[in-house]
Amino acid sequence: MASLINTAISTSHELSNGTPAMRATSGEPDKSTSSTPAPARSSKRYRHTFAVHSVGRASCLSHDAPTTPSFLGFRNLMALVLIVSNLRLMIENFKKYGVLICIRCHDYRRQDVVYGSILYFLVPCHLFVAYIIELAAAQQAKGALARTKRADADQDKPGQQRKEQDEFRAAWYLIAFAHGINATLNLVIATVVVYYYIHHPGIGTLCELHAVIVWLKTCSYAFTNRDLRLSLLHPSDSDPVPELYKSCPYPQNITLRNLTYFWWAPTLVYQPVYPRTSHIRWMFVAKRCAEVVGLSIVIWIASAQYAAPLLQNSLGTISSLDIPSILERLMKLSTISLFCWLAGFFALFQSFLNALAEVTRFGDREFYGDWWNSSGVRGYWTSWNKPVFHFMKRHIYAPLVGRGFSPTAAQIMTFLFSGVLHELLVGVPTHNILGEQQYEPTIYVALIADHHTGVAFAGMVFQLPLIFITDPLAKMKGINGKLIGNLIFWISFCLVGQPLAALLYFFAWHARYGSASKPQLWR
Amino acid sequence: MASLINTAISTSHELSNGTPAMRATSGEPDKSTSSTPAPARSSKRYRHTFAVHSVGRASCLSHDAPTTPSFLGFRNLMALVLIVSNLRLMIENFKKYGVLICIRCHDYRRQDVVYGSILYFLVPCHLFVAYIIELAAAQQAKGALARTKRADADQDKPGQQRKEQDEFRAAWYLIAFAHGINATLNLVIATVVVYYYIHHPGIGTLCELHAVIVWLKTCSYAFTNRDLRLSLLHPSDSDPVPELYKSCPYPQNITLRNLTYFWWAPTLVYQPVYPRTSHIRWMFVAKRCAEVVGLSIVIWIASAQYAAPLLQNSLGTISSLDIPSILERLMKLSTISLFCWLAGFFALFQSFLNALAEVTRFGDREFYGDWWNSSGVRGYWTSWNKPVFHFMKRHIYAPLVGRGFSPTAAQIMTFLFSGVLHELLVGVPTHNILGEQQYEPTIYVALIADHHTGVAFAGMVFQLPLIFITDPLAKMKGINGKLIGNLIFWISFCLVGQPLAALLYFFAWHARYGSASKPQLWR
């Protein structure tokens, strides 16, 4: 009988000549990691009978499932779809407009370059004026210290002490007044020149940015040295000067060499001594410089080829007050402005500042935090631009709180100050502060231009309610609060944040004065 | 002298009346988690002097940084940009075409419904024919078993044994022939009716899908019972029937009740016994049904409002052989087809099959794995559709390997078989197999239609080289190989994979026979 069945098997079925060792590899093939069905290779005789459904299992997307599966693959898909859909828009753009990029046809006036060069050499002079003021103040402080020692030696001369007190106070006011005049002059001269004499918004922005940076450095230099002078004349054990400064105590730091280092160092906060690296890695500098050049070209292409025709197309739509159309335009604008902003952020804060820090052997490279993960608007403002954040905290927020202001009031004042700086940096080079119109504009352009006056300032001030709204979200337990906070941050960043505002400013300029490039193919 | 300096401080500076406890909270404020600058609240006297840059640190995006920061925020931004950019496209679409969705104007022929209903009742009959064949086979096996026992009792009758062997072999062939005729008839009848008599592609696909599912179930039922019968007649200790089947051994499982359960169970693989749940959660069923309905409506809107005009617009472009234009259209098409495919996948595999499993108290709900994370094309094919994968593995791949084919050859044959099934499911309902033209088409439409013949089959066969290319990537050490494999998977999935192929088939039908909806606003 056994032979009968074996014959039947051999006709309809394969020969069952598997060794026990081969059979041991079979079993539940669907329990393997599903990459290869190799276990079924064994020559099991009753192959069609194995129990595929042997235990109860839940679908991995069900709530019943013991673990949530990873969605890493969908992240990859999202990145892919984003790249593909933007490639598609690039093809669409190319078909519509052709190549808009033109190097030779960029148009700037000779006057702009002349005034820009003058400002470039004039602005740092104020830093050296501040140095001369501090040199005099240090001399005065050294004299006061010597007199104090003498006074401690021969006690009880009230008339003498009274006189010295008056002298000291007079010198104190004089120094503060001199610094104030010097710093204010810097900012006023640069702003007037940029606003009235520099037509090109790019050159204007560079000049204004340079002036604001040097102004902040001058302020930090004056404030820090004032407090260092105080701590020299009136040392306090409970509140010592930081350990780091011991290698260069107060009057020794007032040297031209020390100031020149601060002038070039990638920070806005003056310290007599900074953490330094041991040597310059030139390869590192070369890579960072290549990144700056590459990203600048990318941003230039993106704005000339994509942002410019888009904004031109949008002007009419936005003025038509047709809500779906305006939303559609805003969404398209925010994507390109976001891209330019992110590329610009990387070029400036990662590549350029790191290259500068490497050349100056500056140790503390924390120019930004991981602001993209911030679970609220506050987290963004305290981490995206650390140099400015450090300045604001050390020289504005902390002193205000020390003088008795509440932290909220101090924050509001910090943001108002920041708003004024932003308005200076964006409104002045685009000549949008006063809302005047030099050329005859179309009705659309006038509408846009009028609405832009003070956008940067308003944008900064608008951050305050956003901060107070998102603060509770960031403190919420669990992942949801953080996720919602992060989404609110991104939406506010993309729609009311800097990218769009900055772009709108530049293109309001563009719409009012015409293109900086001559051939306007897309008109 | 101390009073002198104190006077000076009180004029230009705040009063330093901080207690030691208050001072203790100050220190290095920028070392806090940068969420709130609270430490600066203490009334430190020399506030402008604290060392912001106290230690050397690397920028968090540099290679020098000790840890890579999280990019979770950018993932959120990607999701947001995707949603926003697609909202934008929806607004654009609405402005261009208005509302294209129309319930009443859907057009189907009465004949289609009649033939569809006949097929719906006719197809399962073949499963019951298979049951009757198995009932006869079980009787024959029971007789053979009884005769074997008798033969074991009175030994040595070679003539009798010879006769029985011939009888058994004849019965074996007869059963195989009967099953073959029954199953083939099922598929052939359904295919002929759908191809020649059902015009509407939706009704046709449903009928063809139903026939293929019942055909696969019939095959599994016949193969499994054949092997169970063998194991009854020739029990093997080294290769026993699975433990799970012990509660219902072979001839007892050939009942109408058992077959009816297999007919409705969400699996293509027959087992006498399945893991079962204890009770039906009707709330679960209701939720899953609601998901099916909701997603079906979403897919219908997406295809009617977005895919249909897009494909119509694309026909001219694709035939123009202008490469950038074709790429642009393909990218736009792949996004919408991907969306429809993902929604359809969820509706069918998660919602519908889970609802069905809950109603039938079917325990093993693993209808799919986390295919979206698969690091190669093979991982996708072994996990996206587990019911079909289980069938292919148990009834095609494993027997072929057992018969001595190499695993690679068995895989190729499995994919060829799968390709034929895909062609049946997509080519037959859209009448694209033979490439015949019933109506006079424009030159574009003919071009498209001609190129579509066999696309589904070719798509499946094309998976094979992709599998062999991506296999080494999935096995690579480190994250990069997996990432690249996943990206290749997604690209092949979106561009040559099912979504686009299926969409193209349906719209080739659409282009050849006209819209299933009457008013073609977008022509």
Side-chain angles (χ1 to χ4, degrees):
Chain A
M1 183 66 212
S3 70
L4 182 148
I5 290 164
N6 270 341
T7 317
I9 290 168
S10 64
T11 53
S12 74
H13 211 248
E14 76 291 342
L15 281 163
S16 65
N17 55 357
T19 62
M22 284 172 77
R23 279 175 197 169
T25 59
S26 74
E28 297 279 357
D30 69 317
K31 286 219 167 174
S32 70
T33 52
S34 80
S35 61
T36 162
R41 189 199 261 269
S42 79
S43 54
K44 228 180 160 180
R45 182 176 280 166
Y46 312 125
R47 196 162 287 109
H48 293 286
T49 62
F50 73 62
V52 164
H53 306 289
S54 53
V55 288
R57 277 175 292 207
S59 305
C60 66
L61 291 177
S62 286
H63 290 297
D64 305 337
T67 54
T68 311
S70 150
F71 292 107
L72 219 60
F74 282 121
R75 188 206 59 183
N76 297 342
L77 175 66
M78 282 203 302
L80 211 64
V81 169
L82 263 184
I83 292 170
V84 166
S85 61
N86 284 295
L87 267 181
R88 195 184 71 74
L89 290 179
M90 280 163 75
I91 293 173
E92 211 175 63
N93 170 286
F94 175 76
K95 280 171 62 190
K96 223 169 175 174
Y97 303 114
V99 177
L100 294 181
I101 297 151
C102 173
I103 298 172
R104 288 213 203 134
C105 42
H106 205 78
D107 175 39
Y108 52 86
R109 301 181 186 173
R110 195 148 174 270
Q111 178 189 321
D112 291 359
V113 180
V114 171
Y115 278 104
S117 308
I118 292 172
L119 275 184
Y120 183 74
F121 290 106
L122 195 67
V123 161
C125 293
H126 293 275
L127 204 54
F128 290 93
V129 171
Y131 164 69
I132 290 161
I133 297 169
E134 280 303 321
L135 210 60
Q139 285 299 338
Q140 201 266 347
K142 271 189 248 175
L145 196 68
R147 278 196 297 280
T148 312
K149 279 180 186 154
R150 243 184 294 131
D152 286 355
D154 44 308
Q155 298 275 322
D156 297 317
K157 285 189 180 175
Q160 173 75 8
Q161 206 174 342
R162 176 83 206 157
K163 197 183 151 230
E164 272 185 15
Q165 202 169 318
D166 286 348
E167 247 175 46
F168 184 87
R169 194 182 288 183
W172 181 278
Y173 280 125
L174 194 69
I175 295 163
F177 182 74
H179 273 308
I181 289 287
N182 175 45
T184 310
L185 264 182
N186 173 17
L187 213 55
V188 167
I189 291 173
T191 302
V192 168
V193 169
V194 169
Y195 195 82
Y196 289 106
Y197 301 103
I198 296 184
H199 177 76
H200 194 277
I203 297 171
T205 305
L206 281 180
C207 290
E208 191 70 22
L209 186 67
H210 184 212
V212 167
I213 288 171
V214 169
W215 183 69
L216 291 175
K217 285 196 184 215
T218 313
C219 292
S220 183
Y221 189 72
F223 280 128
T224 309
N225 278 317
R226 189 195 66 182
D227 275 12
L228 286 173
R229 197 155 55 241
L230 263 178
S231 76
L232 172 80
L233 294 175
H234 182 65
S236 152
D237 288 337
S238 65
D239 191 20
V241 164
E243 201 62 35
L244 188 70
Y245 304 173
K246 290 278 158 72
S247 64
C248 183
Y250 168 59
Q252 290 175 29
N253 70 318
I254 307 296
T255 62
L256 211 55
R257 187 185 161 81
N258 186 291
L259 178 78
T260 310
Y261 184 77
F262 174 56
W263 176 23
W264 283 99
T267 179
L268 298 173
V269 166
Y270 177 69
Q271 289 180 198
V273 183
Y274 292 100
R276 301 285 288 271
T277 57
S278 59
H279 64 283
I280 302 174
R281 294 170 294 172
W282 287 108
M283 201 57 216
F284 181 90
V285 177
K287 280 182 191 167
R288 296 297 86 77
C289 289
E291 282 171 6
V292 171
V293 171
L295 283 170
S296 302
I297 292 173
V298 166
I299 294 169
W300 173 56
I301 292 176
S303 48
Q305 179 77 36
Y306 302 101
L310 188 59
L311 220 130
Q312 196 68 24
N313 290 342
S314 307
L315 291 178
T317 314
I318 291 174
S319 69
S320 73
L321 298 178
D322 173 19
I323 299 293
S325 307
I326 290 176
L327 276 178
E328 195 262 353
R329 286 288 99 179
L330 268 182
M331 285 165 185
K332 202 161 183 180
L333 270 175
S334 71
T335 311
I336 185 76
S337 70
L338 180 70
F339 171 80
C340 290
W341 196 90
L342 287 178
F345 170 82
F346 194 90
L348 188 59
F349 282 83
Q350 166 65 15
S351 305
F352 176 71
L353 287 187
N354 261 296
L356 190 59
E358 191 66 34
V359 169
T360 54
R361 299 200 289 105
F362 190 81
D364 185 3
R365 312 279 170 91
E366 209 194 42
F367 304 118
Y368 55 89
D370 59 338
W371 54 266
W372 47 88
N373 296 326
S374 56
S375 52
V377 177
R378 178 193 298 280
Y380 168 68
W381 284 108
T382 52
S383 61
W384 87 273
N385 187 339
K386 289 264 185 186
V388 167
F389 169 68
H390 287 321
F391 181 90
M392 295 288 181
K393 193 159 141 194
R394 182 162 128 173
H395 297 304
I396 297 185
Y397 178 83
L400 281 175
V401 171
R403 271 166 188 271
F405 286 89
S406 76
T408 310
Q411 269 174 40
I412 291 173
M413 286 165 90
T414 309
F415 267 93
L416 288 178
F417 177 73
S418 175
V420 170
L421 284 192
H422 277 81
E423 188 65 44
L424 274 184
L425 282 177
V426 183
V428 170
T430 54
H431 315 280
N432 267 312
I433 284 188
L434 302 181
E436 34 118 28
Q437 289 158 5
Q438 296 180 3
Y439 293 72
E440 191 182 320
T442 68
I443 180 76
Y444 303 143
V445 172
L447 195 92
I448 300 295
D450 286 356
H451 281 85
H452 280 186
T453 308
V455 161
F457 181 77
M460 285 305 294
V461 172
F462 187 65
Q463 299 302 316
L464 283 164
L466 275 176
I467 285 177
F468 296 122
I469 289 167
T470 54
D471 264 359
L473 285 170
K475 281 168 198 142
M476 253 169 74
K477 291 273 187 301
I479 193 85
N480 279 335
K482 290 207 166 29
L483 182 66
I484 296 169
N486 190 248
L487 289 179
I488 291 180
F489 150 64
W490 277 118
I491 292 171
S492 77
F493 176 81
C494 294
L495 291 185
V496 303
Q498 300 145 303
L500 200 59
L503 209 74
L504 284 178
Y505 259 87
F506 279 102
F507 283 94
W509 178 91
H510 197 285
R512 196 190 272 167
Y513 300 115
S515 174
S517 303
K518 275 283 170 61
Q520 298 178 6
L521 294 167
W522 33 270
R523 265 215 172 141
Chain B
M1 183 67 209
S3 70
L4 180 150
I5 290 163
N6 270 342
T7 319
I9 291 168
S10 64
T11 54
S12 74
H13 210 250
E14 75 293 340
L15 280 163
S16 65
N17 54 357
T19 63
M22 284 172 77
R23 280 175 195 170
T25 58
S26 75
E28 297 276 357
D30 69 318
K31 284 221 170 175
S32 71
T33 53
S34 80
S35 62
T36 161
R41 192 200 259 271
S42 78
S43 56
K44 223 180 164 180
R45 183 178 279 169
Y46 312 123
R47 197 162 288 109
H48 293 285
T49 61
F50 73 62
V52 164
H53 305 290
S54 53
V55 287
R57 278 175 292 206
S59 305
C60 66
L61 291 177
S62 285
H63 290 295
D64 305 337
T67 55
T68 312
S70 150
F71 291 107
L72 220 62
F74 282 120
R75 188 206 59 184
N76 296 342
L77 175 66
M78 282 203 304
L80 211 65
V81 169
L82 263 185
I83 293 169
V84 165
S85 61
N86 283 294
L87 268 181
R88 194 184 71 74
L89 289 179
M90 282 164 75
I91 294 174
E92 211 175 62
N93 171 287
F94 176 77
K95 280 172 62 189
K96 220 168 178 178
Y97 303 114
V99 177
L100 294 181
I101 296 150
C102 172
I103 298 171
R104 290 211 202 134
C105 41
H106 205 78
D107 175 39
Y108 52 87
R109 300 181 188 173
R110 196 152 171 266
Q111 177 189 318
D112 291 359
V113 180
V114 171
Y115 278 104
S117 308
I118 292 172
L119 276 184
Y120 182 75
F121 290 106
L122 195 68
V123 161
C125 292
H126 294 275
L127 205 53
F128 290 93
V129 172
Y131 164 69
I132 290 163
I133 296 168
E134 280 304 319
L135 210 59
Q139 285 299 338
Q140 201 264 349
K142 271 190 250 175
L145 197 67
R147 277 197 297 279
T148 312
K149 277 177 188 155
R150 242 186 295 132
D152 285 355
D154 44 308
Q155 295 277 323
D156 297 320
K157 284 188 182 171
Q160 172 76 7
Q161 207 175 342
R162 175 83 205 157
K163 197 182 150 232
E164 271 184 14
Q165 204 170 317
D166 286 348
E167 247 176 45
F168 184 86
R169 197 184 285 185
W172 182 277
Y173 280 123
L174 195 69
I175 295 163
F177 182 73
H179 272 308
I181 290 286
N182 175 47
T184 309
L185 265 183
N186 173 15
L187 213 54
V188 167
I189 293 173
T191 302
V192 167
V193 169
V194 168
Y195 195 82
Y196 288 106
Y197 301 102
I198 297 184
H199 177 77
H200 194 278
I203 298 172
T205 305
L206 281 180
C207 290
E208 191 69 22
L209 185 67
H210 184 211
V212 167
I213 287 170
V214 170
W215 183 70
L216 291 175
K217 284 194 186 220
T218 313
C219 293
S220 182
Y221 190 71
F223 280 128
T224 309
N225 279 317
R226 190 195 64 182
D227 275 11
L228 287 173
R229 196 155 57 243
L230 263 179
S231 76
L232 173 79
L233 296 175
H234 183 65
S236 152
D237 289 336
S238 66
D239 192 19
V241 164
E243 201 60 38
L244 189 70
Y245 303 173
K246 290 278 158 72
S247 64
C248 182
Y250 167 59
Q252 290 176 30
N253 71 317
I254 307 296
T255 63
L256 211 54
R257 188 186 160 80
N258 185 290
L259 179 77
T260 312
Y261 183 76
F262 175 55
W263 176 23
W264 283 99
T267 178
L268 298 174
V269 166
Y270 177 69
Q271 291 180 197
V273 184
Y274 292 100
R276 301 285 289 271
T277 57
S278 58
H279 64 282
I280 302 174
R281 294 169 295 172
W282 287 108
M283 200 58 215
F284 181 90
V285 177
K287 279 182 192 167
R288 296 296 87 76
C289 289
E291 282 171 6
V292 172
V293 172
L295 283 170
S296 302
I297 293 172
V298 165
I299 293 170
W300 173 56
I301 292 176
S303 48
Q305 180 77 36
Y306 302 101
L310 187 60
L311 219 128
Q312 197 66 25
N313 290 342
S314 308
L315 291 179
T317 313
I318 290 173
S319 68
S320 73
L321 298 179
D322 173 20
I323 300 293
S325 307
I326 292 176
L327 276 178
E328 194 262 353
R329 286 289 102 178
L330 269 184
M331 285 167 186
K332 202 162 183 177
L333 270 174
S334 71
T335 311
I336 185 76
S337 72
L338 181 70
F339 172 80
C340 289
W341 196 91
L342 287 179
F345 170 83
F346 193 91
L348 188 60
F349 282 83
Q350 165 66 14
S351 306
F352 176 73
L353 288 187
N354 261 296
L356 189 60
E358 190 67 33
V359 169
T360 54
R361 300 201 289 105
F362 190 81
D364 185 2
R365 312 280 170 91
E366 210 195 38
F367 304 118
Y368 55 88
D370 58 338
W371 54 265
W372 48 87
N373 297 327
S374 56
S375 51
V377 177
R378 178 193 298 279
Y380 168 69
W381 284 108
T382 52
S383 62
W384 89 273
N385 187 339
K386 288 266 185 185
V388 167
F389 169 68
H390 287 320
F391 181 91
M392 296 289 180
K393 192 159 143 193
R394 184 162 125 172
H395 297 305
I396 296 183
Y397 178 83
L400 281 176
V401 171
R403 272 167 187 269
F405 285 88
S406 76
T408 309
Q411 269 174 41
I412 290 173
M413 287 165 92
T414 309
F415 267 94
L416 288 178
F417 177 73
S418 175
V420 171
L421 285 190
H422 275 83
E423 188 65 44
L424 275 182
L425 282 176
V426 183
V428 170
T430 53
H431 316 279
N432 267 312
I433 282 188
L434 301 183
E436 34 117 30
Q437 289 159 7
Q438 296 179 3
Y439 294 70
E440 189 183 321
T442 66
I443 179 74
Y444 302 144
V445 172
L447 194 91
I448 300 297
D450 285 355
H451 281 86
H452 281 185
T453 308
V455 162
F457 181 78
M460 284 306 294
V461 172
F462 187 63
Q463 299 303 314
L464 283 164
L466 276 176
I467 285 177
F468 296 120
I469 288 167
T470 55
D471 265 359
L473 286 171
K475 281 169 198 142
M476 252 170 76
K477 292 272 186 301
I479 193 86
N480 280 335
K482 289 206 167 31
L483 181 67
I484 295 168
N486 190 247
L487 290 178
I488 290 179
F489 151 65
W490 277 118
I491 292 171
S492 77
F493 176 82
C494 293
L495 291 185
V496 301
Q498 300 144 307
L500 199 60
L503 208 77
L504 283 178
Y505 259 88
F506 279 102
F507 284 94
W509 179 91
H510 197 285
R512 195 189 275 166
Y513 301 115
S515 174
S517 303
K518 274 283 170 58
Q520 298 178 2
L521 294 167
W522 34 269
R523 267 213 173 145

